[in-house]
Amino acid sequence: MLTQQELEQSPLFENISYEEYRRMLTCFQAVQRSFRPEELIYDFDGPKKDAVGIVERGEAALIRIDEDGVATVMETLGPGGVFGRTLAFAASGHDSLEVVCRTPCDVLFIDYAHILKRCENACTHHSLLVQNMLRLMSDKAQNLSRRVDVLSRRSIREKLLCYFRQLSEQTGSLSFTLPFSLSTLADYIATDRSAMMRELKRLRTEGLIQSDGRRFTLGF
Amino acid sequence: MLTQQELEQSPLFENISYEEYRRMLTCFQAVQRSFRPEELIYDFDGPKKDAVGIVERGEAALIRIDEDGVATVMETLGPGGVFGRTLAFAASGHDSLEVVCRTPCDVLFIDYAHILKRCENACTHHSLLVQNMLRLMSDKAQNLSRRVDVLSRRSIREKLLCYFRQLSEQTGSLSFTLPFSLSTLADYIATDRSAMMRELKRLRTEGLIQSDGRRFTLGF
DNA sequence: ATGAGCTTGTGATATATGCAACAGAAAGGG
DNA sequence: CCCTTTCTGTTGCATATATCACAAGCTCAT
């Protein structure tokens, strides 16, 4: 259960009062659970398939495990992050998808049907929740879109520059700090790490970027 | 304006009667327009930024044009397809995004704020539309997710097999037909066309796939 | 039919990228 | 604190991939 203060920061329950929030939990038959790091939060092939999960506290990661057992981080889920079979991610056949806890997490599970179905109790806040859900979904789609934008570039150099431009735009500055390590950056742009390092060096010597650790500045 | 029959097939207005539909158009101050092939439907940097577009009839394509003028198809929009700056796609800096008409189109424009804002008229169907919108958004996210799944593979071979598996699952059969040409397939998986052709040949000689034109069958 | 434009198919060559392997730096855990 | 793990940085080498170039097949509109 969220505290009143946490509720106010939860994107999913924006504009919803504490009273309403509590009533909704019962109305939706929501289940809330806490998780510890490394713990499995959600298995896309598991029994709770049709549930939607919302990260309320902490951080989790959506991970794909391919047939060879290689794990790839598909998405990082912070507070407000949503996941669920019905929502977005489609595993390709042999692969499996999991949500794994990173830092201690509180996760809310709501059956997807309950969200879409019109509320019999004529719960006025139902539609408000759906609207917030819509916002979260469109955020998710936007992130995916950005990722596609990067991944659809044909060389490591272009991928890097594309991603850097995105970060630059988001921060509104030519300087920015990577949200993750260089290694996971290589994963993010789906390329070999050492090859990426080489390209980074080239970009640096050519004066297109400056970089120190995870801090980057776009040169001109 | 949609005919009653078309309305019933529009994913956005599912479960909404013709009467309600007409009332909603005024309630949302929706604007409807028809387009002819090649015509520009929507410019992401244009004046109607904050509008959401819904393809009701016909086909359109969401196209990215990079700084060198190279156009890439980001998405194909059929009936029910939604697009809009606030919704999903983020152009990276110098690039621009456009929606261009393929086959004669009817497109509905609704101001995004009008959708999210609570309806003063206490219009009961408002929430229903938002719910449908949510469904469309999650479809979109799912498509993007699938594309990321493909693009995050590290070789042409893996990309192809991943995409083929997706198609196979969607059709529920080991045989399927590409929804576009081989050339645009190369674009879709973001690789060189001739390199892709070579890989296809290899896959064929190794017996992993059979193919004839756009018709493919996954071998075992 | 005739050509324009697009798609499909193939090869020779240059090069970018992936792979394996290593070592120091930094970070986290007991 | 030390120890373990992850991250960072770099290299030589094999190869997958892009580039360029050409030609035949297809579709569509005139």
Side-chain angles (χ1 to χ4, degrees), chain A residues 64 89 93 116 131 149 169, chain B residues 64 93 116 131 145 149 169:
Chain A
R64 181 188 64 202
F89 287 95
L116 284 191
Q131 286 178 29
D149 193 8
E169 278 167 44
Chain B
R64 181 188 64 202
L116 284 191
Q131 287 178 27
S145 173
D149 194 7
E169 280 167 43

Side-chain angles (χ1 to χ4, degrees), chain A residues 32-94:
Chain A
Q32 207 150 19
R33 249 201 76 188
S34 298
F35 296 88
R36 307 175 58 79
E38 309 301 317
E39 206 174 345
L40 178 68
I41 296 178
Y42 185 85
D43 184 349
F44 281 66
D45 300 319
K48 289 193 283 191
K49 273 186 187 190
D50 296 329
V52 173
I54 302 108
V55 179
E56 300 197 306
R57 235 199 306 255
E59 273 208 5
L62 201 157
I63 294 178
R64 181 188 64 202
I65 295 148
D66 71 13
E67 32 202 347
D68 304 327
V70 179
T72 311
V73 174
M74 300 288 283
E75 203 181 5
T76 304
L77 300 160
V82 285
F83 57 85
R85 179 148 191 64
T86 38
L87 275 190
F89 287 95
S92 64
H94 313 286

Side-chain angles (χ1 to χ4, degrees), chain B residues 163-164 167-168 171 173-180 212-217:
Chain B
Y163 181 61
F164 290 159
L167 285 183
S168 168
T171 60
S173 154
L174 288 174
S175 292
F176 47 84
T177 305
L178 289 188
F180 36 52
D212 172 43
R214 297 180 191 178
R215 183 96 195 142
F216 285 80
T217 305

Side-chain angles (χ1 to χ4, degrees), chain B residues 142-154:
Chain B
Q142 201 148 12
N143 283 334
L144 284 169
S145 173
R146 267 196 278 266
R147 179 112 192 255
V148 168
D149 194 7
V150 170
L151 289 175
S152 62
R153 310 287 160 166
R154 296 215 188 72

